[in-house]
Amino acid sequence: MSLPGVESGVLDLETEIPAPMAIVQPIETAPGARRRLALKSPSTLEPLGEIEVQNSDDVGQALEQARKAQPAWAALPVEERVRVLERALKRVIERQDEIVATVIAETGKAQSEALSMEVFASCDVLSYYAKRAVRFLRPEKRRLHGMLRFLKKLQVVYRPLGVVGVITPWNGPFILSMNPTVQALVAGNAVLLKPSEITPASGALAAEILNDAGLPEGVLQVLTGDGETGAALCEAGVDKVCFTGSVETGRKVATACAGQLIPCTLELGGKDPMIVCADADLDSAAGGALAGAYMNTGQYCCGTERVYVVDEVADAFTDKVVERAAALRQGASGEFDVGAIFWDRQMDVIERHMTDARERGASVRVGGRRNPELAGLYYEPTVLTDVDHDMLIMKEETFGPVLPIMRVRDEEEALRLANDTRYGLSATVWSQDAYKAHELAKRIESGGVCINDMTVTYGCPEAPFGGLKESGVGQVNGESGLKSYCHAMPIISDRFGGKQSRGFYPYSAKKDAGLKRVIALVFDGPLRRFLG
Ligand code: NAD
């Protein structure tokens, strides 16, 4: 299959590459030449093609072009920038089969996941911002407080930052490239997009669709490559970095951005807990556990990574989950529920966590091994019990189709264990008592919580999305997320024709006495209610 942004048919991988399982494999290149990577499909292990790793010179050139193109793009009325989003929405709909096929070729995810997480979610993002960007970015008149309101007026205008670097991971390769890029663009920025080296074609396709929708040349460019390219982008002199990926890389990005005094948002990993209360609807909770743990083959940043179920319903809940997990269909083509692990290094993490769990006494209730019937990177949907917090599987992000279930005495113990983590991305609470569920939710140290549903917050732009603790810095999406691609610039002027500048300067004892009277009047009497 020929994928956009990936050169196909260049190399016979079977004969020339020594480590056959690697999904991303460095290719030997001449000294001084740019590095190259060969890619394989995780579901068939067939070659997908090669990419070039763009270096700091390439990034510098792309930035120069972006800097030239951005002012004219920013000068367009927001209404015109929105038209590009409208056209892109049409193109996503027209090209949905191609998007699905590209994402599946690179990831081996189930067709329904490619359609829902990548196509539907991208349509929603494009439609949401197309409909609202003009309103969100409109200059705002804000009423001033106290005495100031009699003297001055304030307008806040939303200026684009300039050029934004967007660095994305492989687990939602189309949507996670599309969503931040669309927001940064409609706010008037140019974007340099660096998709994951594992899924470069999906990122390139998102950019191709936006460019075809009428972006001026240079406003959106794709950089292919791995960490070298990502690091070069962070150091290149962009005005903001929007990073989605692992905690470890997030730290490096934060350090680079701090060194340059530029803002960044970091959307990082998680170890999301699920709390099942004694009064939960167990059928619905079991369904939520399944979707949370196995959707996207468990490689969903807000996926359910650990369950705490209250003792009195633990057996009934676990039996339901085990029975349903055993019935899931895993496959590489046709209709199935659980797809591939998207790359071999994630398989290594999953197997390391499973070995550690077994050695420490966990019971494997279903799954617990690679699927012997499928050639690619397939790990069976797995349920573990008899787990505890000494195990990696309960502490570190597994990012695979593994669901450890821990029996707890009561909800307080569940809460304590849910918070016993360095992560804090998302969480779910399952109870039929709405008040209790809300009270529990508020006490979870997490970026967001869903009650009686798997985590859906990334798909609700009205919900600020971002992690606590090591799961991230900053929040994205919606009105505030869009505005974070801008500088909110206050412009303050006189209400009555510019006479105020003669006010307090130069100083005099008489003016000081007047100021004392103002302090007493405004802050120390009944007028404070109106003027404070
Ligand atoms: P990763 O950190 O390995 O890579 C992410 C991106 O960073 C890739 O494009 C990579 O090439 C680039 N990169 C690598 N080194 C870099 C460097 N030094 N400087 C700049 N960029 C660099 O993450 P991954 O394995 O691709 O993605 C999986 C992780 O992403 C998981 O931890 C998952 O939870 C997280 N994730 C988080 C969210 C969220 O919204 N919070 C969403 C999806 C995925």
Side-chain angles (χ1 to χ4, degrees), residues 1 36 54 98 108 119 127 142 217 246 289 328 331 333 364 366 368 387 433 442 465 497 500 503 506-507 514:
M1 165 174 200
R36 295 184 74 80
Q54 294 191 279
E98 187 191 345
V119 175
S127 169
R142 288 198 198 160
E217 202 181 333
S246 65
L328 292 174
S333 60
V364 179
V366 63
V387 291
D433 178 337
K442 285 191 275 185
F465 181 85
Q500 255 54 49
Y507 306 128

Side-chain angles (χ1 to χ4, degrees), residues 167-171 176 194-197 225-227 230-231 234 243-246 249 252-253 267-270 301 397 399 425 458 465:
I167 301 177
T168 61
W170 44 264
N171 63 324
L176 294 176
K194 210 299 280 173
S196 169
E197 61 275 29
D226 55 13
C234 296
F243 174 81
T244 311
S246 65
T249 312
K252 294 181 194 163
V253 171
E267 296 301 321
L268 309 179
C301 57
E397 187 182 50
F399 226 51
L425 190 54
Y458 192 80
F465 181 85

Side-chain angles (χ1 to χ4, degrees), residues 260-476:
Q260 297 184 68
L261 299 178
I262 57 165
C264 60
T265 50
L266 305 173
E267 296 301 321
L268 309 179
K271 188 74 192 169
D272 292 359
M274 168 178 189
I275 296 179
V276 184
C277 301
D279 64 353
D281 175 330
L282 294 188
D283 277 318
S284 149
L290 242 64
Y294 306 132
M295 195 186 94
N296 222 32
T297 328
Q299 301 158 117
Y300 173 45
C301 57
C302 298
T304 301
E305 288 253 338
R306 52 201 170 111
V307 178
Y308 303 100
V309 54
V310 168
D311 185 48
E312 57 195 282
V313 293
D315 288 334
F317 170 78
T318 306
D319 288 348
K320 283 180 194 290
V321 173
V322 169
E323 190 189 321
R324 293 186 197 185
L328 292 174
R329 300 155 303 169
Q330 190 161 39
S333 60
E335 207 179 277
F336 60 88
D337 311 299
V338 185
I341 304 301
F342 300 175
W343 73 317
D344 40 323
R345 275 170 56 188
Q346 201 57 47
M347 183 68 99
D348 296 344
V349 175
I350 295 164
E351 292 190 323
R352 187 160 51 82
H353 286 194
M354 283 297 294
T355 303
D356 173 79
R358 279 195 173 95
E359 283 173 6
R360 291 174 192 274
S363 306
V364 179
R365 300 288 298 271
V366 63
R369 58 175 188 168
R370 291 191 190 210
N371 190 325
E373 283 159 25
L374 293 166
L377 297 174
Y378 288 90
Y379 201 88
E380 290 180 348
T382 297
V383 178
L384 294 177
T385 52
D386 302 316
V387 291
D388 62 41
H389 275 219
D390 288 335
M391 299 175 184
L392 291 173
I393 207 98
M394 297 300 278
K395 289 195 301 202
E396 296 302 322
E397 187 182 50
T398 308
F399 226 51
V402 178
L403 187 68
I405 302 179
M406 185 167 175
R407 180 190 293 266
V408 292
R409 196 173 47 248
D410 54 24
E411 285 141 18
E412 283 306 310
E413 188 180 19
L415 186 69
R416 182 180 63 73
L417 290 165
N419 289 339
D420 177 27
T421 173
R422 67 186 175 107
Y423 299 99
L425 190 54
S426 193
T428 64
V429 174
W430 298 77
S431 163
Q432 295 186 71
D433 178 337
Y435 176 78
K436 182 176 79 180
H438 271 89
E439 289 306 301
L440 261 179
K442 285 191 275 185
R443 294 168 64 204
I444 301 180
E445 294 160 5
S446 166
V449 180
C450 284
I451 294 172
N452 294 333
D453 201 351
M454 62 167 294
T455 296
V456 289
T457 33
Y458 192 80
C460 303
E462 294 81 359
F465 181 85
L468 289 181
K469 299 183 181 173
E470 294 185 25
S471 286
V473 174
Q475 289 178 306
V476 297

Side-chain angles (χ1 to χ4, degrees), residues 112-133:
S112 308
E113 287 160 3
L115 202 56
S116 59
M117 283 180 69
E118 312 280 356
V119 175
F120 175 89
S122 295
C123 291
D124 195 43
V125 159
L126 285 161
S127 169
Y128 178 86
Y129 292 105
K131 206 166 154 192
R132 294 165 180 83

